[in-house]
Amino acid sequence: MFGKKSSELLLNESGRSYLAETMQVEGDFHYAGAVDVAGLINGNVYGKDMVILETGSVKGNVHVNKLNINGHVEGQIVADEISLGSNAVIKGDVLFKTYLKTEEGAEIDGYIKGSRSKNNITEEEDKDIEEIQSKLEFGKPKLVKDNKKEAV
């Protein structure tokens, strides 16, 4: 009465959820709206709009429409729009539909693929990604002695 809002309306006034620094989620994380992550998610993420703050971390695959990363992700990312801040660290493949924007300093250790088709990944692309992932990583260079003294 007299213009006071109920507590339910105050809780969701911004329309965004917040996973605080001191919070940790174990298992798959499904949400309908938008979420800001400052804590840790150990599991796959499915939703619409996500911001991973500098203190935020996801250990699992991320499947969202719009993603802004300033923290860490260990796992495959599939999204329509991806923005990586200068503090972003990605360890996994990045697959995007519309655009990928990166600021100087962002680190990506994985395969990057853009696709403008309705399905982000086709079966052929899946095979290509699996082939790349199955290749052995290069180690330190080894000295190979050769008796030939000719310059090539």
Side-chain angles (χ1 to χ4, degrees):
M1 195 167 150
F2 299 112
K4 290 186 180 180
K5 295 182 180 179
S6 70
S7 60
E8 287 182 29
L9 291 176
L10 289 175
L11 290 176
N12 199 14
E13 191 170 300
S14 69
R16 302 186 69 86
S17 297
Y18 183 72
L19 183 72
E21 291 178 28
T22 58
M23 296 177 71
Q24 179 173 333
V25 173
E26 294 290 333
D28 290 350
F29 185 66
H30 297 263
Y31 64 96
V35 67
D36 296 334
V37 178
L40 172 64
I41 298 174
N42 279 321
N44 300 323
V45 176
Y46 304 92
K48 290 184 181 179
D49 184 5
M50 174 179 263
V51 175
I52 300 174
L53 303 170
E54 288 182 21
T55 59
S57 183
V58 175
K59 292 184 180 183
N61 298 330
V62 178
H63 297 267
V64 297
N65 294 343
K66 185 176 178 184
L67 181 62
N68 187 334
I69 304 172
N70 291 303
H72 295 82
V73 175
E74 274 186 50
Q76 183 184 57
I77 297 172
V78 179
D80 293 342
E81 302 173 4
I82 302 173
S83 297
L84 303 178
S86 59
N87 294 321
V89 178
I90 312 299
K91 293 183 181 180
D93 297 334
V94 177
L95 307 165
F96 65 96
K97 185 175 178 183
T98 308
Y99 72 85
L100 170 66
K101 176 185 171 187
T102 61
E103 291 183 11
E104 185 177 347
E107 297 179 27
I108 302 172
D109 183 10
Y111 178 77
I112 300 171
K113 174 72 176 165
S115 173
R116 296 194 183 268
S117 66
K118 287 186 178 180
N119 298 328
N120 281 348
I121 309 169
T122 64
E123 289 180 27
E124 185 178 317
E125 289 172 332
D126 269 340
K127 290 177 186 175
D128 290 343
I129 292 170
E130 287 175 16
E131 184 179 316
I132 290 168
Q133 289 175 339
S134 66
K135 290 182 181 178
L136 296 174
E137 290 188 23
F138 296 103
K140 292 183 180 178
K142 294 180 182 178
L143 178 62
V144 178
K145 294 183 180 181
D146 191 6
N147 294 333
K148 296 180 184 178
K149 296 192 178 192
E150 296 177 16
V152 179

